Amino acid sequence: MSIVKEDLLSISPDALAPAATEAKAEAVGVTKASMGGAKCFVSAMLAGAFIGFGGMYFCTFLGDTTMAFGVQRLVGGLCFCLGLCLVLCCGAELFTGNVLMACAKASKKISFAGLLRNWGIVWLGNLAGSLVALAIIYLSNLQAMNGGAVGEAFVSVAAGKVALEPVTLFFKAVLCNILVCLAVWIGFSSKTTADKVLGILLPISAFVACGFEHCVANMFFLPMGLLLNTVAGIGAAGAITAGGVAYNLVLATLGNIVGGLVVGLAYWFIYHKKQA
């Protein structure tokens, strides 16, 4: 039996080359656009919950306020990587990563309506999954750990996010999804679980350590902070409001879209045109 070049590439442990990664991103976009609405929504719920678990791990670590700033940001960022590791390795639909479907749209392999349909379903599914994870975590009384310091960390993180100025918030979100989409791009090029996990660690821990804004993470952080602030009385009264939550999510979503488009369309321009 003869072995062709494609067969060797399929079993090679080497990561995909950049042009092949771009082609894979387009193929993934086509698959996502054709996914049934119910399956897409449930898969998106899983992603929202997974990112919530990363946020849970992050704030549990922040509950120790005795650490130096740099150590706290570095290790907290690594803790948050749990979320995207679960998304990429277990499989789920994450809104911020799905911005890369723009590659398939740029190549006219999916319609604009198909793109927006996926984004809408996935955004809502991520929100639903985040709220389910929030409810389970809240009922577990995780916030009481370390004498209530974990609950205070949740509220502090959320209060800082809703207090951001609009321009700052928007560009923090742009920077965030540049890094997230680069992590997803590494995931596209990877052929093993170890590749995916190692490739995720630096870009994701960087965006968390730098305090950038991820709309799906904020679907967990902000409602949790609101709940603990208004119901449990943690933090200054009125530090987090429903209006502040909506304000953050709108601008973070828009900034994340722009950041993802920067990555996806840049690589599409370089490598799709080269293939053509």
Side-chain angles (χ1 to χ4, degrees):
M1 182 186 300
S2 62
I3 299 177
V4 297
K5 181 179 179 181
E6 289 74 13
D7 295 325
L8 293 174
L9 288 174
S10 68
I11 62 174
S12 170
D14 295 335
L16 296 178
T21 303
E22 195 283 326
K24 183 175 180 179
E26 291 186 21
V28 169
V30 172
T31 300
K32 290 177 180 293
S34 63
M35 185 182 295
K39 290 184 178 181
C40 185
F41 186 81
V42 173
S43 183
M45 286 187 67
L46 289 175
F50 293 162
I51 297 299
F53 294 155
M56 169 191 72
Y57 195 8
F58 173 70
C59 282
T60 301
F61 185 81
L62 291 189
D64 183 355
T65 58
T66 63
M67 289 176 292
F69 173 80
V71 174
Q72 188 182 62
R73 303 307 295 181
L74 171 62
V75 183
L78 292 173
C79 290
F80 186 82
C81 291
L82 168 67
L84 197 63
C85 285
L86 291 174
V87 170
L88 291 188
C89 296
C90 299
E93 294 293 305
L94 182 66
F95 174 79
T96 45
N98 283 17
V99 176
L100 291 173
M101 291 172 64
C103 293
K105 175 64 185 74
S107 295
K108 300 180 180 178
K109 293 181 179 179
I110 63 174
S111 66
F112 192 61
L115 177 72
L116 292 182
R117 170 185 174 275
N118 177 275
W119 285 2
I121 293 172
V122 171
W123 195 96
L124 292 173
N126 288 166
L127 177 61
S130 297
L131 294 178
V132 170
L134 181 157
I136 296 170
I137 292 166
Y138 178 79
L139 292 173
S140 77
N141 202 29
L142 179 83
Q143 60 273 13
M145 290 181 68
N146 195 24
V150 172
E152 293 172 3
F154 275 118
V155 173
S156 176
V157 168
K161 290 178 178 295
V162 299
L164 292 171
E165 293 295 323
V167 173
T168 300
L169 171 54
F170 178 81
F171 283 101
K172 278 179 174 281
V174 172
L175 285 166
C176 170
N177 214 31
I178 288 174
L179 289 170
V180 170
C181 285
L182 287 172
V184 172
W185 203 265
I186 293 171
F188 286 161
S189 72
S190 302
K191 291 194 174 181
T192 69
T193 300
D195 290 346
K196 287 184 171 66
V197 172
L198 290 173
I200 286 167
L201 293 182
L202 287 177
I204 299 303
S205 63
F207 104 67
V208 177
C210 294
F212 297 155
E213 296 294 307
H214 187 269
C215 67
V216 181
N218 290 358
M219 292 173 184
F220 172 78
F221 284 128
L222 298 183
M224 177 63 90
L226 178 64
L227 180 65
L228 294 175
N229 184 238
T230 57
V231 175
I234 298 174
I240 307 158
T241 64
V245 172
Y247 154 78
N248 179 285
L249 289 180
V250 169
L251 283 179
T253 298
L254 293 175
N256 288 165
I257 290 172
V258 172
L261 291 177
V262 168
V263 174
L265 295 181
Y267 280 118
W268 174 84
F269 178 79
I270 296 167
Y271 293 110
H272 176 84
K273 295 181 78 67
K274 178 180 178 182
Q275 289 176 312

